[in-house]
Amino acid sequence: MTLWQCYLQGWKKYVDFRGCATRKEFWTFALGNLLIIILLTMGVSFLFALAGNPYSIFYAGVAYTLFALATALPLLAVGIRRMHDINRSGWWFGGVYLAGIVSRLLNTILMQYASPETYVWMKITLGIVLGWIPLLVMIFLCCQKSRPAPQTQSRIVE
């Protein structure tokens, strides 16, 4: 498949959580969306700044948020299919999403009840434990070669 076909495959199967996705398909989709989101936010910010609008960064943030929301489900689907390709459960990829949600929830609780010093240290700890570690594990897993499904031995007893 060409790069364009791999990228479109992610959009065509945006809610298909079964099957497999190759390394090329996953990385083309993920890095293609990253490139688009960078160009989109820079373009929106530049155009509004060129027009003299003092809120150009705000509009770039809105564009970023809308595109990130639009690509969240397709990226989750292609990530889960990638996990299936290396014979892992899709929950490995879904865990990164869940870790982000848990981190935001704990951050909100800390903001309300922790002292400023505790909040700073816990925010750093949460960022490492629930942010960077799951992300690095996912990058490692998504870079692995495809693995064929294990062969099961079946015995016919007569």
Side-chain angles (χ1 to χ4, degrees):
M1 274 200 288
T2 65
L3 288 177
W4 181 247
Q5 288 171 334
C6 287
Y7 182 75
L8 286 180
Q9 190 74 11
W11 285 106
K12 287 178 184 176
K13 295 182 174 182
Y14 73 100
V15 290
D16 184 12
F17 296 96
R18 292 189 205 139
C20 296
T22 62
R23 276 191 293 188
K24 184 178 180 182
E25 183 182 338
F26 173 79
W27 287 111
T28 301
F29 189 73
L31 296 176
N33 284 336
L34 180 65
L35 179 66
I36 290 170
I37 208 163
I38 289 170
L39 293 175
L40 177 71
T41 54
M42 286 176 52
V44 167
S45 179
F46 178 74
L47 287 176
F48 277 98
L50 196 62
N53 192 321
Y55 303 109
S56 62
I57 299 297
F58 170 76
Y59 292 117
V62 169
Y64 170 83
T65 302
L66 291 175
F67 189 79
L69 286 173
T71 59
L73 188 61
L75 184 61
L76 180 64
V78 76
I80 288 173
R81 289 195 314 269
R82 179 72 195 124
M83 292 297 105
H84 292 164
D85 193 44
I86 61 170
N87 290 328
R88 299 223 183 237
S89 169
W91 284 103
W92 280 85
F93 195 84
V96 174
Y97 278 70
L98 292 175
I101 292 169
V102 169
S103 177
R104 284 175 181 81
L105 177 66
L106 291 174
N107 184 36
T108 305
I109 293 169
L110 283 172
M111 211 180 323
Q112 293 294 320
Y113 298 108
S115 67
E117 298 84 17
T118 305
Y119 174 73
V120 169
W121 285 106
M122 288 305 293
K123 183 151 174 87
I124 292 170
T125 305
L126 285 174
I128 293 170
V129 172
L130 294 175
W132 284 103
I133 292 174
L135 179 65
L136 293 175
V137 167
M138 269 312 98
I139 290 172
F140 172 75
L141 288 175
C142 289
C143 288
Q144 290 185 347
K145 289 183 179 181
S146 300
R147 295 185 185 150
Q151 298 294 328
T152 57
Q153 297 288 333
S154 63
R155 227 184 219 184
I156 301 175
V157 180
E158 295 180 24

